[in-house]
Every structure is written in C-alpha cells, then in structure tokens.
Amino acid sequence: MTPPASSRPRGRGADSAQRLPLRALMRRRGFRGLASGRALTYFGNAMAPVVLAFAVLDMGGSAVDVGLVVGARSVSNVVLLLFGGLLADRLPRALVLQGAALAAALVQSGVGLALLAGRAPMGALLVLSVVQGAVAAVSVPASAALIPLTVPADELRPANALSRMGVNAGMIAGTSLGGLLAAVASPGWGMVLDGAAFAGASLAFRLAGRERASVREQTGTVAAPARPWRELREGWKEFVSRTWVWVVVLQFFVVNAVAAGGIQVLGPTVADATFGRTAWGFVLATQMAGALAGGVLVARSRARHALRLGVAVVVLDALPLVALAQSADVAVLVVAMFINGIAIEQFGVAWDLSLQENVPQERLARVYSYDALGSTLALPVGEMAAGPFAERFGVRPTLLCGVALVTLATVGALCSRQVRGLTTGQSRPAAGPPVVETRA
C-alpha cells in the first residue's frame, strides 16, 4: 500500500499558478488542442444517444429497438474501457485520441448520410452505437491522462478545471442541439453534425501532439513486448495499492448508482406528476450551469487538502433527492441542482488532480480506466433498481433511502486516513526504474 504523498511547502511559483488567468492556459498550444478536443468529443458523445433514439423511432422501431441500439453503446464501453486505458499507456495518447475521433467521424457521417438518403438499415445504427461506445472507452482515460503532459505541474488545478468546464459545456450543447435537430430537421442531420464534431476533435487533438513519444519512452521505461493481461494486472495493482483511490471509487459506485436511479429514472416520474417535463429539462440544465460556476471557483482554489474537501461535498448530491422526495416546487429544486453542480466540480477537479500528481504517468491511463469502469457499472445498477424499489415501497421512501446511502458512502470514505490526509500541489510522481523485458 502506498501512503499519501507528503506535503510540500508551496512558494510564490505555486501561488502565482493558482492565480493564473484561465485564458492564459489557452495560450498553451498542447493544452488548447486537448481542451478543445475533449469538449468536441463530449459534445458528440452527448448528442449521439439522442439522435440515435429518434433515428430508430423514425425507422419504425419500437422501444425495445431503442433500448437495444442505445444499450449496445454501454456494453461496448464497459467491455473496452480497460483496454482503452492499456492502449493509452502504451501509445502516444494524442495519436490514440486522433484515431478514435476520426473513426467516430467517418462512421457517424456515413450513417447520417445513409439516413438522409433513406438507406440506413437498423444494423448500421447498431454498429454506430458500438463504435460510439468504443470511442468513449478510449477517449476517457487517454484524454484525462494526457493533461499533465500539456501544462506545468503547478498549473494542473486550473487546467483540469478549465478542461472540465469545456466538457460540461459540450455536454449541454450536445444534448440540447441533438433534440432540436431531431425535432426540426431529422436525426440524419444530427448524425452528420456529430460526425463533423468528431472530425474537429481529431484535428484539435493533433494540436496536443507534442507528446511525440509514448509515455513509456518519455518516462525512461523500455518498451516491452505487448502483454495485455499482464499490463492490465499492473494497472489493477497500481489501483488497489492506494487506499484512497479504491475507497473513493467505492464511494462513487454508490453515489452514481443512487444518482442514476433517483435523477434519471425517478426524476422524470416526479416531474410528470407535478411540475411537468419542460421544467424538468430546465432543472437538468441548471445542474450543468452550476458545474460551470463550480469550475471557475475551483480553478482559483488553493486548498491543499483538495481531495478531502471534494469527497466531503459529494454529500450535496443528496440535495436534489431530498427536494424530489418532498415534491418541492421548481424553484427549490433548481437551487438544489445548482448547488449540486458546484459540488460535482469541486470533487471532479480534486480527483483528477490527485490521480495526476500521485500515479506514475506510465500507468495513469490504466488507473483512470479502472475508475471509469467502476462508475460505468454503477449506472445500470441504479437505473434498474430504482423502478422496482419505487413500485414496492413508494417514490418518496426510495428517494430518501438514496439520501441515506449517499450520506453513508461519503462518511465512510472520509473515515479513510489517506483520503483525509492526501495533499495536492506536490511534484508529479517519478517514473519507476526502466523496465527491460524479454520474450519468454
């Protein structure tokens, strides 16, 4: 088990980095390309499920067909997440991101044109969904692990905050525009625009291509023959060797499952019975607005125990659930969601910063992939459990049970000495000694 990194006094250089204007980060060519590419990728990933669902319905498909096509994306994502992290640790991450985005652009545009021509079979939509899941599986660990290679160590906090602000803006725009295009034009045009977004992401990632060599070469390790299962075990060993990593992932398995069931499943049910669907869409948008505001706040933060603070404010995920359980009016729910959005960013930046400063670069993407896998597996658990529980015990008791679970998971995570004691602002971890392997 690796203990928390020891704290290090921060001098004027670190303080000035915390006061660094966010626009100054965009002058860095590599970071500018990465942040733009991430925003466009998340824009495309947010739009894809919306236009896919409407495309299936326009072709005469049923709700079962919609579930099959959209679900194929999740299955592909879960299956390939770990290998996406492995790939990003072996190859230049910017190149991996370019290739994934370009593949998505070609498939998305091709299917979109086929839809506009009235020649897209259901199988093509299924293939497109699988490709989208694969792209997300590669992009999530590779793009997050690439950030430390595009900015100096003392600019990591504002860099993560600014990157996440772009991601949130991309998700808001993708979801909204996807529904609009499907309504006023056609899903085919939505897919063509999605393809253009991924093509733009591929070009943007090219700007981040200063990482000419792979991480192994940059860190001084000698490239070994590819042994996927062995390298996955290395990533797992790195993941479990730090108590604070797996404790927080367990916390978020619970929190994400509760949020998926409470907000994504029961939220629309409550909205239909009370304030209506239009207001519910506004409520969800408010959460993203809070996340953008939270990004600005955390970018200027100088908290040394960022992880402890981030983990603690996760308890605010319970606020929207309480508001829904009390059948609150829209104004109360909007405030709860806005505060929740701010809290999400405090944790998100603290988590990225903690991983990037404490996990060796040559294994960082694999650790990110295990983290993402834990979060992804939680979503269907919560989504499938919320409905049956609400039918058996009622919506309000189910939501309040979710509040209790979020609170217990957060308190449990804070019981870890490593979670409470980890500090940020230290140097990035040094790479291990050169690894020389021969074929057996």
Side-chain angles (χ1 to χ4, degrees):
M1 181 174 65
T2 303
S6 58
S7 60
R8 177 175 69 86
R10 295 186 304 169
R12 294 180 179 176
D15 287 340
S16 63
Q18 299 299 340
R19 295 192 295 268
L20 182 76
L22 294 183
R23 63 179 179 274
L25 282 167
M26 297 304 287
R27 298 192 189 109
R28 298 190 179 280
R29 182 174 180 266
F31 176 76
R32 183 171 69 248
L34 176 59
S36 302
R38 289 190 85 189
L40 287 168
T41 297
Y42 276 84
F43 170 87
N45 284 335
M47 179 185 286
V50 178
V51 295
L52 268 175
F54 284 113
V56 172
L57 294 174
D58 285 354
M59 293 171 62
S62 65
V64 174
D65 295 322
V66 173
L68 179 64
V69 171
V70 175
R73 181 184 187 278
S74 297
V75 172
S76 172
N77 185 254
V78 169
V79 170
L80 296 175
L81 256 176
L82 296 183
F83 290 97
L86 186 154
L87 189 67
D89 274 342
R90 287 198 65 89
L91 300 175
R93 288 168 186 161
L95 183 62
V96 170
L97 290 168
Q98 287 178 57
L102 184 59
L106 293 174
V107 175
Q108 193 89 343
S109 300
V111 174
L113 292 174
L115 274 175
L116 292 174
R119 298 181 178 180
M122 190 71 70
L125 299 184
L126 194 62
V127 170
L128 171 61
S129 188
V130 171
V131 171
Q132 286 288 345
V135 168
V138 171
S139 299
V140 170
S143 61
L146 182 58
I147 291 177
L149 300 178
T150 61
V151 297
D154 56 2
E155 295 178 12
L156 267 179
R157 191 192 306 260
N160 277 293
L162 185 56
S163 178
R164 287 178 60 86
M165 289 166 65
V167 164
N168 288 325
M171 291 174 66
I172 294 172
T175 303
S176 304
L177 194 55
L180 180 63
L181 282 175
V184 303
S186 76
W189 284 114
M191 289 187 184
V192 170
L193 177 61
D194 215 16
F198 278 110
S202 182
L203 291 174
F205 287 135
R206 187 177 180 84
L207 293 176
R210 291 184 180 275
E211 189 198 9
R212 299 300 180 186
S214 70
V215 173
R216 290 179 180 271
E217 293 169 326
Q218 285 201 6
T219 55
T221 56
V222 178
R227 293 172 177 172
W229 295 112
R230 178 172 180 171
E231 294 185 30
L232 285 176
R233 287 196 300 270
E234 288 177 356
W236 175 252
K237 185 176 179 180
E238 197 73 47
F239 177 82
V240 300
S241 68
R242 292 169 169 78
T243 300
W244 61 270
V245 174
W246 59 262
V247 164
V248 174
V249 171
L250 281 179
Q251 175 199 14
F252 263 79
F253 184 89
V254 176
V255 171
N256 285 345
V258 170
I263 303 300
Q264 302 300 327
V265 176
L266 300 184
T269 302
V270 174
D272 259 354
T274 53
F275 45 78
R277 298 182 180 185
T278 302
W280 179 244
F282 179 71
V283 166
L284 293 178
T286 302
Q287 185 186 44
M288 291 294 99
L292 291 174
V296 175
L297 291 175
V298 74
R300 302 182 183 282
S301 169
R302 284 179 276 185
R304 293 181 63 244
H305 291 89
L307 185 63
R308 180 171 64 192
L309 175 62
V311 166
V313 299
V314 168
V315 75
L316 296 176
D317 270 37
L319 283 182
L321 302 178
V322 172
L324 284 170
Q326 301 303 323
S327 296
D329 58 29
V330 175
V332 175
L333 191 54
V334 161
V335 172
M337 291 292 267
F338 187 81
I339 294 173
N340 178 224
I342 293 175
I344 287 172
E345 286 308 288
Q346 307 312 300
F347 170 79
V349 173
W351 180 242
D352 285 338
L353 188 63
S354 299
L355 288 178
Q356 292 162 8
E357 289 187 343
N358 291 279
V359 177
Q361 268 292 324
E362 68 271 18
R363 296 178 181 178
L364 181 57
R366 276 170 285 175
V367 172
Y368 263 119
S369 67
Y370 280 109
D371 165 36
L373 182 62
S375 299
T376 303
L377 288 175
L379 301 181
V381 172
E383 290 165 348
M384 290 186 293
F389 269 91
E391 287 186 0
R392 182 174 179 82
F393 302 106
V395 172
R396 185 172 183 272
T398 300
L399 288 168
L400 293 179
C401 179
V403 171
L405 287 174
V406 168
T407 303
L408 289 174
T410 301
V411 171
L414 289 173
C415 287
S416 167
R417 184 178 300 176
Q418 287 198 14
V419 171
R420 297 195 309 273
L422 191 78
T423 59
T424 55
Q426 65 267 13
S427 300
R428 296 174 193 162
V435 177
V436 181
E437 297 179 357
T438 57
R439 294 182 183 275

